[in-house]
Amino acid sequence: MSYTFRAAGTPIWDPALRVGELYLGQAEAVAALLEVPSGLTPRQDGRCDLEPEEFGTFVQHLLRFYNRGHHAALSHLLRGVVLVSLVLLNRAGGHPVPHDGETLDALLTEATALDRTMSV
C-alpha cells in the first residue's frame, strides 16, 4: 500500500503508506510551528494533493528557519523534512528556492541524491 503525493493531479511521489503519512505529519507539524500553511492537503482516498505555490512558500519559510540553526537537535529533526520538501517542490515545478550560500548548496546536492531514491 502506498500514499501518493500529487501536484495538479499528477503523481510526484508514491512512497509506502507509513513513509507518506510520516512525512505529511512532520510537514504539518513544522507548518504549524512556522505558522504558515504547508500546501499539502490529505485526501480521504489515501492521496495527498500538493499546491506548488503554497508549498513553495512553506519551503522558503522552512529553509529560513532551518538556516537559523539555533538548536542542534532541532536542525537534525528538520533535515529530513527539508530534503524531502526540496525534492517535492522540484518535482511539482514550484518556484526555485532563492539561493543563499553553502548551506543551500549542500542541501540541494543531498536532495538531488535523495530524489533518485524516491519512487514516482
Side-chain angles (χ1 to χ4, degrees):
M1 222 167 147
S2 64
Y3 194 90
T4 305
F5 289 78
R6 304 178 319 165
T10 302
I12 59 171
W13 186 34
D14 192 35
L17 177 63
R18 291 193 189 265
V19 174
E21 289 175 337
L22 179 60
Y23 169 74
L24 176 62
Q26 290 175 324
E28 290 294 333
V30 172
L33 179 70
L34 300 175
E35 299 178 339
V36 298
S38 69
L40 299 170
T41 305
R43 297 169 39 110
Q44 295 252 332
D45 62 4
R47 292 184 275 186
C48 183
D49 290 333
L50 182 150
E51 199 291 308
E53 193 167 318
E54 193 171 84
F55 187 72
T57 299
F58 164 69
V59 173
Q60 288 175 9
H61 285 284
L62 172 59
L63 285 170
R64 268 189 244 127
F65 187 70
Y66 178 81
N67 284 331
R68 284 190 225 146
H70 296 301
H71 195 287
L74 180 59
S75 292
H76 285 284
L77 288 167
L78 291 173
R79 189 172 191 83
V81 176
V82 169
L83 294 172
V84 172
S85 296
L86 287 170
V87 172
L88 294 180
L89 181 62
N90 182 58
R91 288 182 180 184
H95 297 289
V97 175
H99 187 57
D100 68 351
E102 288 179 30
T103 300
L104 183 57
D105 284 341
L107 289 170
L108 290 172
T109 298
E110 200 170 341
T112 299
L114 177 63
D115 187 16
R116 292 187 283 269
T117 70
M118 292 172 59
S119 62
V120 177

